[in-house]
Amino acid sequence: MTTATTMTGAVGTAHTRVEGRDKVTGAARYAGEIPFADLAHGWLVLSTVARGRILSVGTGPVLDMPGVLTVLHHGNAPRLDIDYVGMLGVPPDPTAAVFQNDRVPHAGWPVALVVAETPEQAREAAEALVVTYEQEPHDIELSAGRPDAHPVDGHMPAVTEKGDLEAELAACAHVVDVEYTTPEEHHAMMEPHAATARWDGGRLEVVDSNQGTTWVADEIARMFSLDASAVRVRSEHVGGGFGSKGARAHQVSAVMAATALQRPVRVVLTRRQMFSLTGYRSPTVQRVRLGADADGRLRALEHRSLNQTSTVWEFVEPSAGVARVMYDADAHRTSNEVVRLDVPSPTWMRGPGEAPGSFALEAALDELAERCGVDPVELRLRNDPEHGPVSGLPFAGRNLAACFREGARRFGWAGRDPRPGTRREGRWLLGTGTAAASFPSGALPSTAAVTAEADGTFTVRIAAADIGTGARTALTLVAADALRVTPDRVRVHIGDSDFGPAGIAGGSMGTRSWAWAITAAAGELRDRLVPGGAVPPEGITVRSDTTAALGALAQKERHSFGAQFAEVAVDVATGEVRVRRMLGIFAAGRIVNPLTARGQLVGGMTWGISMALHEEAVRDRAFGGLYGADLAGYHVATHADVPAVEADWVDDPDPDDPVGIKGIGEVGIVGAAAAVANAVWHATGVRHRNLPIRPDRVLEAGGPRV
């Protein structure tokens, strides 16, 4: 066998998805449609009260219904272990550890699972199940100034502080002191959460839709006190996740039922159940105080963020964390706080912390630019730090200035009249706005196996997850370059915990983590191959583990950056806001596949438009649940809302990464909502500090009239 001696250069060139044909023809099967012999179906029953105790579960009549096999609840379910810290460094959300006691901490809490021969029988029986409760008063009200709010460490310290904030503010020529709010938002991916559990020869197998088979297998093994080798999780195709597809109630309840019945059991969540059981982005209340000299240079910065969490699990939305990266000041204070309410647990959602945090921070920067009489782009360039504002560490590349300069040139920013409310087209007021973006660039330890086959092809096995991002294709290109062959000679297999531990598809770390492991294994394999030598029938396999390499990385601030630009039109008669065009320029490391990368960035920007103008989940104070918990009542941006969205990038490889990757999955949404909100101010002369910018809010706020 021989291998090429020159690099093929697959990375950086546009490639269609390797599984694209399977997806468009329906050959690709998702977790809820894979057939199993003797398959039973589970249907979750959720609480109808927001707080209280379960008094009784009326299983008798339901067990007599056609096809019903069992009803699991707190009185007969196995005990689970949730006293551990998982692979992501956090304890499990008890919502996933179903049926462990009679307490109900929020509306939509899982109280039972009905299992039947068909999904229709399971649903009918679940809807007939009578559960009685002892109801207690509930509290779902998030507001600023709550005495029970308290700081919480998440993946970062809760509070950072340096300098004398009040003294610096008092000495500043310009001060901005404002409060911003963002609403509860939901992932709403196309594919519902689904899992099938079965026992096979004493080993548990879960076929799932998730963002990391290693992650889910680890959680299930720990909860059920199983040896790690006794659990296999497979997840071949995933129709979106955005942070929500980890270990959840549907997988755990499916395992319980499969264990009890000793047959395969599938649990698929309905869209309404997903609004209660799969996490969401917490609403936030954020206070930003900025103080600057007459020329707009920051001397004081405070960013405080408050989010809600459940009474069973403390989850912090680290919105103030974005200020720790973006801007420095002599006095610098940030804090992330939570208040425990009778609501479901929030979770990570695309751009966690940075998405809502950038809205507040970048809108406040725009207000400061207005006060100082400085162009918003110029203000950001003047306050572009050389080192981490809080850490003091050097940046592993910070090409934010290049993003702003290129974006301003392409957007036509130089011709902008800074005065608000001056551009009109009939009844439409026109305005433009900008904002900065950033998101951490990390990597998780991962393993990979690369095999040289006797037929001259190569097989890569890694427990990666392609949640719609094109990861499988990107890894094919990475492997091809590392092996110095063409992509058609590489087959990449993903989504199986039996392939060995690997990082999750989350935190913009997936491709970076997996590519590192594949590059290491492929490099060693290439060195072992003898030019012209034969490969045995079983092939030659090399495994890698990046744990040591990642541990040896120098301490730096590692982030992707970007500059967002938006033009909006505001109808003064109806209050409607239309985004006419949007441009994002990003510095996000080496781009592996420009075709799918552009789709990721445009998708994030589209979600930012949705965040700015549409998305808002509202809870009913009386019963604690959501109004319109479906895609009819929860409005997201559609094609008609995004006529012209363009994303591009500047050269920005990371020299410490073997492929030069930083990550693009989340930076696209960061700053997008702020750019739109800033453009609405420029159009109308009115600041909107509460998202979404609904037509009624535009009309109530007023502004210039034609």
Side-chain angles (χ1 to χ4, degrees), residues 211-437:
Q211 293 180 231
T213 55
T214 301
W215 178 21
V216 174
D218 178 72
E219 297 279 339
I220 289 175
R222 290 174 183 268
M223 283 191 194
F224 287 89
S225 300
L226 299 171
D227 188 270
S229 63
V231 180
R232 181 188 187 189
V233 176
R234 293 192 290 124
S235 183
E236 177 71 10
H237 296 289
V238 181
F242 307 122
S244 74
K245 286 187 174 175
R248 299 286 178 189
H250 64 293
Q251 299 124 320
V252 176
S253 61
V255 172
M256 285 182 172
T259 303
L261 297 174
Q262 286 300 299
R263 61 185 286 188
V265 176
R266 173 173 294 156
V267 178
V268 180
L269 298 185
T270 68
R271 182 65 61 179
R272 283 184 169 270
Q273 289 174 340
M274 288 164 61
F275 274 81
S276 296
L277 294 179
T278 63
Y280 57 94
R281 195 195 306 283
S282 168
T284 68
V285 180
Q286 301 178 60
R287 184 184 182 188
V288 179
R289 293 200 290 172
L290 303 176
D293 289 336
D295 64 357
R297 297 186 189 276
L298 288 168
R299 292 182 57 177
L301 185 156
E302 181 183 37
H303 190 172
R304 297 175 58 189
S305 178
L306 173 67
N307 73 266
Q308 71 185 30
T309 190
S310 68
T311 59
V312 296
W313 194 49
E314 284 195 332
F315 179 87
V316 60
E317 179 79 17
S319 299
V322 68
R324 303 176 187 181
V325 174
M326 292 306 298
Y327 306 109
D328 203 356
D330 295 330
H332 196 287
R333 187 182 191 279
T334 64
S335 65
N336 293 306
E337 301 177 359
V338 304
V339 61
R340 297 163 67 97
L341 300 174
D342 302 314
V343 296
S345 300
T347 194
W348 300 283
M349 182 166 158
R350 195 178 198 176
E354 276 76 7
S358 66
F359 163 64
L361 182 63
E362 293 297 317
L365 257 290
D366 208 65
E367 298 201 36
L368 181 63
E370 180 193 0
R371 300 272 182 92
C372 297
V374 177
D375 178 82
V377 170
E378 177 59 28
L379 183 76
R380 288 167 173 82
L381 294 177
R382 290 182 190 180
N383 288 284
D384 195 24
E386 295 182 358
H387 298 86
V390 172
S391 70
L393 295 172
F395 286 100
R398 181 184 170 105
N399 288 338
L400 179 60
C403 294
F404 268 112
R405 292 190 177 103
E406 176 64 11
R409 182 189 68 80
R410 290 175 53 169
F411 194 74
W413 187 264
R416 178 184 190 260
D417 185 338
R419 297 172 300 165
T422 58
R423 291 178 60 202
R424 293 184 171 91
E425 285 184 4
R427 70 172 191 247
W428 295 94
L429 296 172
L430 307 183
T432 53
T434 189

Side-chain angles (χ1 to χ4, degrees), residues 10 20 58 93 114 126 140 185 254 298 380 421 460 484 491 634 675:
D93 179 356
V114 177
I140 64 166
E185 299 165 354
L298 288 168
R380 288 167 173 82
V460 176
R484 298 179 183 173
R491 294 187 301 270
Y634 183 76

Side-chain angles (χ1 to χ4, degrees), residues 34 40 68 102 110 179 235 275 301 316-317 334 363 374 389 446 459 513 524 652 657 661 677 691 694:
I34 298 173
V68 174
D102 63 357
E179 182 180 280
S235 183
F275 274 81
L301 185 156
V316 60
E317 179 79 17
T334 64
V374 177
S446 298
T459 302
S513 302
E524 183 180 339
D652 183 55
D657 182 277
I661 295 170
L691 294 185
R694 303 189 311 252

